[in-house]
Every structure is written in structure tokens, then in C-alpha cells.
């Protein structure tokens, strides 16, 4: 957009989302057609050759085959056992289900054109959030999309996206899809930055699920590069709120690129960060007592040992519901605490 002109960032295409499309995503019984491009296809010869083998170990494409079979099922009565009540229910649901790619052809065209403008592959997100809880639906486990069918697959499967649309409605913001040029970025080079009262107050390692030893000896340089970027490109702009977060990518040459903007955390947020809401409040309180501020006053945190690793709540979406529930019981927590001793 015009507001980002002059700010080093990644090329993006914004696609407005119709309200009826948002409503449709929240319905049950949405499916992709059998010849959808959301997942790779395999020839009958490949299936026959592999099925004739004694599978002592899973085939190399076992995950792809499983996903492909799942999304290419047709809900036809021939696939259900006669007298199977569950099958009858699914058959009934299938007759009233909606093929989302056929229902919104103009949106599909806009998405495909946007991806093409970005070189043929794009990272996908909505107003504030990316569907990272749905990456297990993709055979490569990423948010890299090469066509509209893959984008719709991720949007359909993501609870985060549904929450984002609800938040946008509360803020009276039009729902949008953001396609960003795909790049193989290093997770260790991404950082989340917190702005309060128009000042950069804290910087956190973005991927909190790992310890990166390379960050331990470069904290001062990275902190300085991000602070300089903020001062040059964001501190004086008039279109940002007083409180917000932004993500940046820092190259090995310490060149900083803006990745995204986000809403400042609240009590209801469940985010992966090295700063809790209480931490941020204490930091801001201490800063308010100081007359002059300097680079040293910006709190910079990276994971310095294995004990500092933060569990990514998004990964819980990859687990069976029963297992997810079991890991949150007091008994399980006590058992895990005992193991750490």
C-alpha cells in the first residue's frame, strides 16, 4: 500500500474477501472437488506399483497419499456400507454441501492472479493472523500456496482465521486476504517487536520453540539494527496506533525487513512470546518513571537455554483432541514437573 512506500518489506497482494464468503467458511459441509489442485495427484500406476509391495516401512509419500485420499473422497453412496447410520448421515450432509471453489469463481480468479503476480507462490494470511494451525493439511506442512485451491483449503481448516474474522467484525474492518511473496526465511531471523505509547519497548525472538545458539552472541547488533529501523521508518508515522506489534526479518548483514503488523496483546490473547502481558506492563511502568530513554532501555530477549523454550500452542492443533485434553490436566502437569527434576 501507499503507507508502506519507502519501508523495506516483502511484496504483497491484498484481496478483499466478500462477507458471504466469510459466512460460508463458518458452515459445515464445505468441500473441494475431486480434481482440486489443493493437493498433488498420483497416477493409478503409482498406486498399483506401491500397493503390490510388502510395506515393511511406510512409503515415501505415505502422508501425501493419505491426505490425497481424504480430500478426493466423493461421499457417494457406493462408498458407504448399506445400513450404516453414520454413512447415511454423511450422505445426507453431502447432498447439501457446498463446493466453495465453484461458489466464488471471481475470488478464486483474484487469488490465482495475485499468486501469479508474486512469482507463482505466496505466503497466506488474513487481516491479523496466518492459518498456521492448518499447515498439517498441506503435504509440505507450510503456508506456501501456488494456487487458490490451496489457499481456500487453509482458510477452511483454520480456527485462527475464524477468530481473526470475528475480531475484524468487532473493529468494523473489512476482511482481507494478504498474499505475500514466498521466501524460504530462517525462523531464527524473525523477531516480534512491541510498541507502547509510540515507543519501541521490547523485542522477542519470534520462534520460541527452539534455542538458536547463533543469537546468543549477536543480540546487541540485532537490537541496534531493529531500533534503527523503527526510528527511521515507523516512529514518526501518523497512521499507526499508540500500541501495536510488528514483526521483522533481520538478515545476516543486519538488514531489516518489515514482515507484518499486529494488535498489541491483551489478556485474552494466547500468543507464543518471551514476554507475558505482565512483563510488558512492568516494562512500560519502569519506562514511564525515566526522564530519558536510550537503546539500553529496550528489553531484548532470546532463548538462552533449553529451559527457556516456550511451547507453541498452535502445535496443539496437530494432536488428537483426547491427547490435547490429557496434556492440560493437573495430574499430567505434576507428572511432567516430576520428570524435570
Amino acid at each position: 500500500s501507499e503507507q508502506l512506500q519507502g519501508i523495506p518489506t516483502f511484496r504483497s497482494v491484498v484481496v478483499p474477501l466478500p462477507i458471504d464468503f466469510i459466512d460460508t467458511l463458518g458452515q459445515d459441509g464445505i468441500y473441494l472437488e475431486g480434481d482440486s489442485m489443493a493437493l498433488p495427484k498420483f497416477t493409478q500406476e503409482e498406486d498399483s506399483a506401491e500397493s503390490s509391495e510388502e510395506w515393511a516401512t511406510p512409503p515415501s509419500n505415505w502422508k501425501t497419499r493419505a491426505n490425497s485420499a481424504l480430500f478426493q473422497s466423493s461421499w457417494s453412496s457406493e462408498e458407504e456400507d448399506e445400513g450404516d447410520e453414520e454413512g447415511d448421515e454423511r450422505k445426507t450432509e453431502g447432498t447439501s454441501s457446498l463446493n466453495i471453489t465453484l461458489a466464488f469463481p471471481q475470488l478464486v480468479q483474484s487469488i490465482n492472479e495475485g499468486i501469479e503476480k508474486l512469482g507463482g507462490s505466496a505466503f497466506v494470511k488474513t487481516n491479523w493472523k496466518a492459518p498456521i494451525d492448518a499447515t498439517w493439511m498441506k503435504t509440505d506442512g507450510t503456508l506456501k500456496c501456488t494456487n487458490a485451491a490451496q489457499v481456500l483449503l487453509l482458510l477452511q481448516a483454520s480456527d485462527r482465521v475464524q477468530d481473526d474474522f470475528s475480531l475484524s467484525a468487532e473493529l468494523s474492518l473489512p476482511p482481507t486476504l494478504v498474499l505475500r511473496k514466498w521466501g524460504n526465511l530462517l525462523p531464527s531471523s524473525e523477531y516480534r517487536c512491541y510498541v507502547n505509547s509510540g515507543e519501541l519497548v521490547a523485542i522477542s525472538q519470534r520462534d520460541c520453540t527452539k534455542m538458536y545458539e547463533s543469537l546468543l552472541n549477536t543480540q546487541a547488533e540485532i537490537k541496534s539494527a531493529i531500533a534503527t529501523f523503527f526510528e527511521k521508518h515507523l516512529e514518526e508515522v501518523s497512521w499507526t496506533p499508540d500500541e501495536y506489534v510488528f514483526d521483522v526479518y533481520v538478515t545476516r548483514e543486519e538488514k531489516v525487513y518489515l514482515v507484518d503488523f499486529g494488535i498489541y496483546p491483551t489478556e485474552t490473547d494466547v500468543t507464543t512470546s518471551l514476554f507475558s502481558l505482565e512483563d510488558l506492563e512492568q516494562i512500560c511502568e519502569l519506562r514511564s518513571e525515566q526522564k530519558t530513554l536510550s537503546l539500553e532501555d529496550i528489553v531484548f530477549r532470546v532463548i538462552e537455554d533449553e529451559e527457556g523454550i516456550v511451547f507453541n500452542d498452535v502445535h496443539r492443533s496437530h494432536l488428537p483432541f483426547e491427547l490435547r485434553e490429557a496434556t492440560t490436566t493437573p495430574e499430567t502437569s505434576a507428572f511432567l514437573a516430576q520428570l524435570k527434576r
Side-chain angles (χ1 to χ4, degrees):
S1 67
E2 295 182 359
Q3 294 175 328
L4 296 180
Q5 287 186 358
I7 300 178
T9 187
F10 300 97
R11 188 182 176 193
S12 300
V13 172
V14 177
V15 179
L17 295 176
I19 297 300
D20 53 344
F21 173 76
I22 305 302
D23 296 337
T24 300
L25 282 182
Q27 300 176 8
D28 293 329
I30 303 174
Y31 73 98
L32 299 175
E33 68 274 16
D35 59 350
S36 169
M37 297 177 64
L39 294 164
K41 303 296 183 296
F42 298 93
T43 63
Q44 184 64 36
E45 289 74 12
E46 285 179 300
D47 292 340
S48 300
E50 291 182 356
S51 61
S52 64
E53 298 177 1
E54 294 291 336
W55 280 1
T57 57
S60 59
N61 67 338
W62 69 271
K63 183 176 180 181
T64 302
R65 285 169 53 84
N67 283 341
S68 184
L70 174 64
F71 287 98
Q72 292 179 35
S73 61
S74 62
W75 298 96
S76 66
S77 57
E78 297 177 358
E79 294 178 2
E80 305 293 345
D81 294 333
E82 294 184 4
D84 184 349
E85 294 182 0
E86 182 179 355
D88 292 340
E89 291 178 0
R90 286 189 287 179
K91 179 182 175 183
T92 302
E93 292 175 358
T95 58
S96 61
S97 58
L98 173 68
N99 187 325
I100 196 168
T101 55
L102 296 182
F104 299 94
Q106 187 172 356
L107 175 61
V108 169
Q109 180 181 351
S110 298
I111 295 174
N112 281 327
E113 290 176 351
I115 293 176
E116 185 177 354
K117 289 180 181 179
L118 297 174
S121 58
F123 172 93
V124 58
K125 67 180 292 292
T126 50
N127 289 52
W128 306 110
K129 298 181 180 180
I132 54 179
D133 57 329
T135 53
W136 63 276
M137 301 287 283
K138 296 270 294 1
T139 54
D140 60 358
T142 73
L143 293 179
K144 179 181 181 180
C145 294
T146 58
N147 56 66
Q150 293 177 342
V151 174
L152 297 179
L153 176 66
L154 291 172
L155 296 183
Q156 287 176 247
S158 174
D159 290 332
R160 284 171 55 86
V161 163
Q162 292 294 332
D163 293 340
D164 195 20
F165 291 147
S166 298
L167 177 61
S168 298
E170 292 177 7
L171 298 175
S172 300
L173 295 175
T176 58
L177 175 71
V178 181
L179 303 172
R180 191 171 68 225
K181 184 176 177 61
W182 179 263
N184 293 316
L185 304 181
L186 298 174
S188 60
S189 297
E190 294 186 70
Y191 299 88
R192 168 145 293 187
C193 310
Y194 298 85
V195 177
N196 188 288
S197 299
E199 298 177 341
L200 179 61
V201 298
I203 302 171
S204 168
Q205 173 181 328
R206 188 71 178 94
D207 178 15
C208 302
T209 63
K210 294 181 181 179
M211 182 189 74
Y212 297 98
E213 294 185 3
S214 59
L215 302 183
L216 300 181
N217 299 321
T218 57
Q219 297 183 53
E221 292 81 1
I222 295 173
K223 177 180 177 180
S224 177
I226 295 176
T228 300
F229 175 88
F230 174 77
E231 181 180 352
K232 180 178 180 180
H233 297 290
L234 299 177
E235 188 173 29
E236 299 299 331
V237 296
S238 58
W239 46 266
T240 57
D242 289 337
E243 297 181 352
Y244 64 96
V245 301
F246 66 96
D247 296 335
V248 295
Y249 186 83
V250 183
T251 68
R252 293 178 179 176
E253 295 76 25
E254 297 173 13
K255 186 172 182 179
V256 182
Y257 291 88
L258 177 67
V259 175
D260 204 0
F261 287 102
I263 296 176
Y264 198 80
T266 64
E267 294 181 359
T268 58
D269 284 338
V270 180
T271 58
T272 300
S273 172
L274 298 181
F275 293 98
S276 65
L277 181 60
E278 291 75 16
D279 291 336
L280 294 172
E281 290 175 346
Q282 292 177 5
I283 292 171
C284 295
E285 184 177 349
L286 290 174
R287 290 176 66 95
S288 64
E289 298 174 356
Q290 297 176 263
K291 295 182 179 180
T292 58
L293 298 173
S294 63
L295 179 64
E296 286 70 25
D297 297 311
I298 301 174
V299 182
F300 185 89
R301 290 181 182 176
V302 299
I303 296 175
E304 299 183 352
D305 53 55
E306 297 292 340
E307 294 184 357
I309 291 176
V310 179
F311 179 71
N312 190 341
D313 194 68
V314 173
H315 291 167
R316 291 167 56 83
S317 62
H318 301 182
L319 301 175
F321 178 78
E322 293 79 4
L323 181 58
R324 288 163 51 190
E325 290 299 302
T327 59
T328 59
T329 63
E331 293 78 8
T332 305
S333 300
F335 175 71
L336 294 176
Q338 184 70 25
L339 291 178
K340 291 182 179 180
R341 294 180 180 177

